[in-house]
Amino acid sequence: MLALYRLRWQIELAFKRLKSLLRLDCLPAKTEKGGRSWIYAHLILAILTDECSQDLLDSSP
């Protein structure tokens, strides 16, 4: 049970980080489709940024 709570907490921290760094907390779109597209684009950006940063950290001496 403790492991599940820790996992949940890590997910909460990840969403908090996304909201602050990628500005996911302010949705500029007026329609549902526009909002969904905006959120998907920012989530893809977050995944790509994480992948690139991991590659960079792995390659540094």
Side-chain angles (χ1 to χ4, degrees):
M1 190 59 122
L2 188 59
L4 286 175
Y5 180 77
R6 286 183 183 147
L7 177 62
R8 180 190 171 274
W9 186 247
Q10 291 301 315
I11 292 169
E12 291 287 333
L13 289 175
F15 274 105
K16 184 177 180 180
R17 192 173 28 232
L18 283 174
K19 284 170 57 176
S20 65
L21 294 176
L22 296 177
R23 307 272 322 213
L24 286 179
D25 56 343
C26 59
L27 188 63
K30 303 282 188 223
T31 65
E32 181 183 343
K33 284 184 179 181
R36 188 174 292 146
S37 297
W38 192 86
I39 290 173
Y40 286 160
H42 278 75
L43 289 175
I44 291 169
L45 176 65
I47 292 169
L48 290 173
T49 303
D50 186 55
E51 289 291 322
C52 290
S53 66
Q54 288 300 320
D55 290 345
L56 182 65
L57 290 173
D58 291 342
S59 68
S60 67

